[in-house]
Amino acid sequence: MPETVPYRYCVVDVFTREPLEGNPLAVFPSAAGIPEHRLQQIARELNLSETVFVYDPTTDGCAARLRIFTPAREVPFAGHPTVGSSFVLWQTRRVPTDATHFQLEEKIGIVPIRVEHEHGERPLIWLTTPPITFGKTLDPVACAEALGISPKDLLPVKPQFVSAGNPMAMIAVRTKDVVDRSWLGMENSRKLSGLSDGPAGFFVFTPTQEGAYSRMFAPEHGVTEDPATGSATGPLAAYMARYELCQPSAGTRLISEQGTQMGRRSLLHIQFNDDAGKNGIEIGGYVTPIIDGAIMQVPSN
C-alpha cells in the first residue's frame, strides 16, 4: 500500500457569528507536502463550496499564499475563502493578533486584508475586492425562464456578467419571494453561461433597505447553491451602484443577506471607498470556528 501522511485542517463558518450558519470553509493551514494531484481530490472529498490550501508566500510583503478549490476546479479568487483563511491566520498567530492590515497572495494577485478589531469579540475581517469588470448583458426573458420565474418578476435593468476574478451574472428581481422561488439547474446554467468566457455563477438578488437579499447558483463549479459568495458581493455592489439600485458614497456600508433560503443565513458586509466603488469596494464578515481535525489518509504519491 502507498505511504499515507495525515494533514491537519479546520472548518470555519464564514460571514456569520452563529455556528452552523454562514458558509462553511475547510482550511489546510500547512499544505506544503500534499501532492499536487491530491488537492482537487481532497476538495471533492470534503465537498464544501471551497477548500483552501495555505502555503508560504512567494511574494514579498504577503502573509501567506492561498490556493482555492471548489469541488470541481481551482479558482483564482473567492471571497469567503479569503476572509475565512484570514481568520485562521489571525487565530493561529501567523499574523499578529493586533494586526490591522496584511496581504494575501492568490492566483488573481495580491489581496489586501483589513482587520477591524472589536473589544472582546472576534474581529470583522475585510478584503479589498480585486478590479471589477463588466461583461456581456443577458436576455432577461431567457434568464427568467432559466430561473423558473416570470419576466415580470425582474427589475427593469438588464442582467449582466460582472467579474472580480470569477464571472457572475447579476440578475435583479422585485421581491424576496422571487429570490426564494428562483432555481437554476445544470442544464440551464450551461445555456446561460455560454455568453461568458467559461463557467459562471448566477447571482439573483433584490435590493433591500439594508442592501440586498440574494442567492447564488454555480452548478458548473460543483456548487448547486452557495450560502455566501464574497467574490460576487463586490460585483453586486458595483452593479447596484451603476444602475442606481443603491446610493453609495465614501464610507457607505451595506449588507447582503445570502443563504437564508437554504438554512445557512449569511451576512456579507460591504463598504464603498467612494461614490461608485472605483477606488475599491471592501467585503467584510465575521468567522466562527467549528471543526479542528485531520485527514488521516492522503497517499504520498
Side-chain angles (χ1 to χ4, degrees), residues 71-295:
R73 56 178 47 86
E74 186 173 9
V75 295
F77 166 74
H80 107 274
T82 300
V83 170
S85 298
S86 295
F87 174 83
V88 172
L89 292 169
W90 173 83
Q91 186 182 45
T92 58
R93 303 195 175 187
R94 290 274 293 273
V95 298
T97 55
D98 60 351
T100 57
H101 294 82
F102 59 92
Q103 297 183 127
L104 295 177
E105 179 184 346
E106 301 188 17
K107 289 240 170 178
I108 200 169
I110 295 175
V111 180
I113 302 298
R114 180 168 65 86
V115 184
E116 195 170 297
H117 295 279
E118 300 181 5
H119 181 68
E121 296 283 345
R122 293 188 294 272
L124 178 59
I125 297 176
W126 298 86
L127 64 87
T128 298
T129 299
I132 295 169
T133 58
F134 284 77
K136 296 177 181 178
T137 59
L138 294 89
D139 177 50
V141 174
C143 289
E145 290 178 351
L147 292 168
I149 59 177
S150 167
K152 294 180 181 179
D153 290 326
L154 300 178
L155 286 174
V157 289
K158 271 207 166 186
Q160 185 171 13
F161 286 110
V162 189
S163 179
N166 299 315
M168 294 285 167
M170 294 292 151
I171 305 171
V173 302
R174 294 186 181 277
T175 66
K176 289 183 178 182
D177 175 68
V178 176
V179 175
D180 287 343
R181 287 192 284 110
S182 299
W183 184 255
L184 186 70
M186 178 67 81
E187 182 178 351
N188 285 333
S189 174
R190 284 175 174 161
K191 288 178 182 177
L192 294 178
S193 63
L195 291 173
S196 180
D197 293 329
F202 294 85
F203 198 90
V204 184
F205 74 95
T206 190
T208 65
Q209 185 175 355
E210 296 78 19
Y213 178 83
S214 54
R215 297 175 75 182
M216 200 285 280
F217 309 102
E220 292 177 271
H221 285 283
V223 181
T224 304
E225 181 175 357
D226 194 29
T229 317
S231 63
T233 304
L236 166 69
Y239 180 87
M240 291 180 69
R242 172 174 282 197
Y243 294 108
E244 299 182 348
L245 299 177
C246 67
Q247 302 297 323
S249 60
T252 294
R253 288 192 177 187
L254 305 174
I255 292 177
S256 174
E257 179 183 343
Q258 188 180 336
T260 302
Q261 175 68 4
M262 61 188 300
R264 304 246 9 157
R265 184 172 184 259
S266 306
L267 299 177
L268 296 90
H269 297 251
I270 301 166
Q271 178 165 307
F272 286 88
N273 290 333
D274 58 39
D275 60 3
K278 293 180 180 178
N279 293 319
I281 296 173
E282 292 184 302
I283 306 302
Y286 294 96
V287 181
T288 301
I290 294 293
I291 295 171
D292 194 358
I295 288 187

